[in-house]
Amino acid sequence: MKFKWAFLATFFLMALNASGPAQAQVYVLEDPADWKEIETPPPPAFDVKKLITFEVSPNSQLVYGVDPATISISQKDGIVRYVMVASNASGASNVMYEGIRCTTGEFKTYARYSPDGKWTHVSKPEWRSLFENMPSKHALRFARAGACDSAAPATSVDTLVRRLKNQNFRMVE
């Protein structure tokens, strides 16, 4: 892998688990001009009965959740991909297959799930800032709820899921 400029960042994130010693994760960040997204995997199957929900806004009438089985963290491009479900009190839902690029603070919607049970791919998905003034800040809240460690993806899906289940993990603005 070629680097246009030397930018090496090492993050040692110690995570104790019940079965063994601490683990360290190393990330190498390259020149953003050299970054390339992998071919996006197809949207995974999801189960609304297994959603881990989290609050996006105290004023929102929608409940957001992610099925942990849909979460993946690509080691090749650093993207956290997942299926996000937004539901209202009457049971109607909006389902999106998305990705977060923690290193740049951006997210992308790859596909939307239709009521007839089929995925419709976004024709030209584009990266958008997590911090834009949008009607919903669900991707930003998901990033803060555990998908990202500052500018790096969570060290593992297991770590991300544990954070999502801990409602107090970094949920302040």
Side-chain angles (χ1 to χ4, degrees):
M1 185 182 299
K2 293 183 179 180
F3 295 94
K4 288 187 178 177
W5 44 273
F7 184 65
L8 175 67
T10 305
F11 297 92
F12 291 99
L13 301 172
M14 306 308 272
L16 294 175
N17 60 32
S19 64
Q23 299 174 6
Q25 183 83 22
V26 177
Y27 290 96
V28 178
L29 303 177
E30 63 184 86
D31 182 342
D34 289 340
W35 179 83
K36 183 172 172 36
E37 184 174 9
I38 64 168
E39 184 175 330
T40 306
F46 64 96
D47 184 347
V48 293
K49 294 176 186 152
K50 295 182 179 178
L51 297 179
I52 299 173
T53 60
F54 58 95
E55 184 177 278
V56 171
S57 167
N59 301 326
S60 176
Q61 295 182 11
L62 296 174
V63 174
Y64 291 85
V66 176
D67 176 352
T70 69
I71 300 170
S72 67
I73 303 171
S74 170
Q75 296 299 313
K76 293 185 179 181
D77 62 9
I79 305 298
V80 178
R81 293 182 179 86
Y82 54 92
V83 172
M84 178 70 63
V85 179
S87 304
N88 65 20
S90 68
S93 61
N94 188 10
V95 182
M96 294 113 0
Y97 177 44
E98 298 179 326
I100 293 178
R101 187 174 175 205
C102 300
T103 57
T104 59
E106 296 174 301
F107 79 104
K108 180 189 282 192
T109 302
Y110 299 107
R112 289 181 168 70
Y113 195 72
S114 63
D116 64 357
K118 296 179 183 173
W119 286 103
T120 303
H121 292 274
V122 174
S123 59
K124 292 184 182 180
E126 294 184 15
W127 290 107
R128 298 179 291 165
S129 172
L130 289 168
F131 305 99
E132 287 178 1
N133 188 18
M134 295 173 287
S136 171
K137 294 213 177 252
H138 67 275
L140 175 61
R141 296 303 278 176
F142 180 60
R144 288 182 175 167
C148 299
D149 286 327
S150 298
T155 56
S156 71
V157 172
D158 288 341
T159 297
L160 197 163
V161 169
R162 274 195 312 275
R163 291 175 181 170
L164 282 176
K165 289 180 178 179
N166 177 359
Q167 294 294 311
N168 296 318
F169 183 82
R170 273 194 294 183
M171 291 306 285
V172 294
E173 287 293 328

